[in-house]
């Protein structure tokens, strides 16, 4: 069995059991709060600064959630809001100031950025030891070669915690990742291939021929492509573990907002085939913020000891 143990709040329903991302994230955040308190007792309060350029509503909501999560964990959480017409030079100057501030242990520049700013140049400007998002080329390289002292992108790191929490056996398993982004797909594959994890990984993308032929082989299927309900029940192997990273808004006249959030997986249908599945919302999303906090505490811990501190020191 790939999933030998799985908790579910609605085990009475037919079909796959849910991976409760909210509950798992609460556990990670409790550990972060303990580690933050230990560091505070030694005179170090972990600090995360998020830089938001422009007024994208979705980004503003997400940034606000990060700031609240920091406060709840006993950390310093600051958001720097810049206007949409901010120049690249002005943003880089802000990053330079944050790089030099010893009270700030994690720096995150919220994407997307306005068209006049080169996102790659911005990412490279953040000090690797403060790049808690794990996007700097130094951290990407460390992940690829198996070094343990870098930072890993938060969504793939959270997915690994979810799989471990539910005893999903990855050694020798066929894992198919649909999506090849630098944020999820590529680092997800790198984590799964590490020695000690030992999964056999296939990455699919928009040029893959006969996507279903690949997805039906998967013991674990991770959908991270940004297309609503792309993965249908006939594309999923019976008993597979399905991780849905997608966050897509579709029209829904029954909602006051006129829209509804769905994943990359046709949840209701795929749940009848899979053994474990993440919901949207309430699955991968909460884990992403939790892992960001964990990475920030880990960065702060390095100012006290090279290995970090407590749970926050774990990748």
């Amino acid at each position: 069995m790939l999933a030998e143990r799985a908790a579910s709040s609605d085990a009475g329903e037919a079909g796959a059991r849910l991976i409760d991302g909210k509950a798992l994230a609460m556990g990670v955040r409790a550990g972060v709060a303990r580690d933050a308190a230990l560091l505070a007792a030694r005179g170090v309060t972990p600090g995360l600064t998020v830089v938001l350029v422009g007024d994208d509503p979705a980004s503003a909501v997400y940034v606000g959630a990060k700031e609240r999560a920091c406060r709840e964990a006993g950390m310093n959480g600051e958001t720097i809001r810049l206007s949409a017409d901010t120049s690249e030079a002005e943003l880089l100057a802000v990053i330079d100031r944050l790089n030099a501030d010893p009270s700030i242990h994690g720096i995150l520049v919220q994407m997307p950025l306005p068209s006049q700013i080169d996102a790659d140049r911005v990412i490279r400007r953040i000090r690797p030891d403060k790049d808690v998002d794990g996007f700097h080329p130094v951290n990407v390289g460390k992940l690829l070669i198996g070094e343990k002292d870098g930072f890993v992108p938060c969504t793939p790191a959270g997915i690994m915690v979810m799989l471990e929490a539910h005893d999903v056996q990855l050694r020798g398993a066929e894992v198919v990742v649909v999506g090849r982004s630098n944020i999820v797909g590529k680092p997800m594959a790198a984590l799964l291939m590490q020695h000690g994890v030992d999964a056999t990984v296939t990455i699919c993308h928009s040029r893959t021929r006969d996507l279903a032929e690949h997805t039906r082989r998967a013991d674990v299927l991770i959908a991270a492509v940004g297309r609503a309900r792309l993965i249908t029940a006939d594309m999923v192997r019976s008993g597979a573990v399905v991780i849905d990273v997608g966050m897509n808004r579709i029209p829904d006249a029954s909602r006051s907002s006129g829209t509804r959030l769905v994943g990359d997986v046709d949840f209701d249908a795929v749940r009848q085939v899979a053994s474990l599945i993440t919901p949207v919302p309430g699955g991968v999303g909460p884990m992403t913020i939790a892992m960001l906090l964990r990475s920030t505490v880990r960065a702060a811990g390095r100012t006290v000891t090279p290995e970090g501190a407590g749970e926050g020191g774990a990748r």
Side-chain angles (χ1 to χ4, degrees):
M1 289 288 290
L2 275 172
E4 298 172 353
R5 173 175 57 85
S8 175
S9 59
D10 55 352
E13 295 187 17
R17 289 177 286 183
L18 298 185
I19 300 177
D20 189 342
K22 290 181 180 178
L24 288 172
M26 286 177 62
V28 172
R29 287 167 65 164
V32 167
R34 288 192 297 270
D35 289 344
L38 290 172
L39 287 170
R42 301 180 69 174
V44 176
T45 300
L48 171 67
T49 295
V50 179
V51 182
L52 176 63
V53 184
D55 52 5
D56 178 73
S59 293
V61 170
Y62 192 43
V63 165
K66 292 172 182 176
E67 193 171 342
R68 288 191 301 274
C70 283
R71 291 196 300 268
E72 290 169 2
M75 301 164 53
N76 289 331
E78 175 193 15
T79 301
I80 297 176
R81 291 174 168 82
L82 303 174
S83 65
D85 60 357
T86 297
S87 70
E88 183 177 293
E90 289 170 326
L91 176 55
L92 293 177
V94 170
I95 293 172
D96 289 343
R97 175 172 62 80
L98 299 176
N99 279 337
D101 188 339
S103 70
I104 295 169
H105 307 99
I107 302 169
L108 186 154
V109 178
Q110 185 67 35
M111 302 293 170
L113 290 168
S115 59
Q116 73 272 16
I117 299 175
D118 184 334
D120 184 62
R121 189 173 291 122
V122 168
I123 289 169
R124 290 170 181 266
R125 194 65 160 251
I126 299 170
R127 272 175 39 180
D129 60 332
K130 295 191 177 190
D131 168 43
V132 289
D133 243 354
F135 296 152
H136 191 284
V138 168
N139 287 318
V140 173
K142 286 184 174 184
L143 170 60
L144 287 176
I145 65 175
E147 293 289 338
K148 303 295 186 183
D149 62 341
F151 291 108
V152 175
C154 300
T155 298
I159 291 170
M160 294 300 290
V161 171
M162 298 173 95
L163 295 173
E164 181 179 358
H166 286 272
D167 290 340
V168 176
Q169 304 303 311
L170 293 171
R171 178 169 294 177
E174 290 269 1
V175 182
V176 174
V177 180
V178 184
R180 54 179 169 179
S181 73
N182 293 333
I183 297 172
V184 181
K186 291 177 184 177
M188 188 80 254
L191 283 171
L192 289 161
M193 289 188 293
Q194 296 296 317
H195 288 292
V197 180
D198 302 322
T200 299
V201 184
T202 299
I203 294 185
C204 298
H205 47 76
S206 60
R207 297 295 183 267
T208 297
R209 293 196 299 268
D210 196 352
L211 177 62
E213 179 182 347
H214 296 280
T215 60
R216 279 194 291 264
R217 290 203 321 268
D219 299 310
V220 179
L221 175 60
I222 300 171
V225 72
R227 288 181 58 188
R229 296 171 173 167
L230 172 69
I231 305 299
T232 53
D234 63 317
M235 300 171 68
V236 179
R237 176 179 176 177
S238 178
V241 175
V242 178
I243 306 294
D244 191 352
V245 184
M247 299 280 281
N248 311 287
R249 290 208 170 271
I250 63 170
D252 186 346
S254 69
R255 303 289 180 95
S256 58
S257 65
T259 63
R260 177 161 54 97
L261 196 64
V262 300
D264 290 350
V265 173
D266 186 356
F267 178 82
D268 290 335
V270 171
R271 189 177 184 185
Q272 304 307 311
V273 180
S275 61
L276 279 169
I277 191 169
T278 57
V280 176
V284 173
M287 288 298 296
T288 298
I289 292 180
M291 300 310 292
L292 175 66
L293 300 182
R294 178 184 279 189
S295 290
T296 303
V297 168
R298 181 177 172 221
R302 288 177 174 175
T303 67
V304 179
T305 62
E307 296 77 18
E311 185 179 346
R315 177 183 273 185

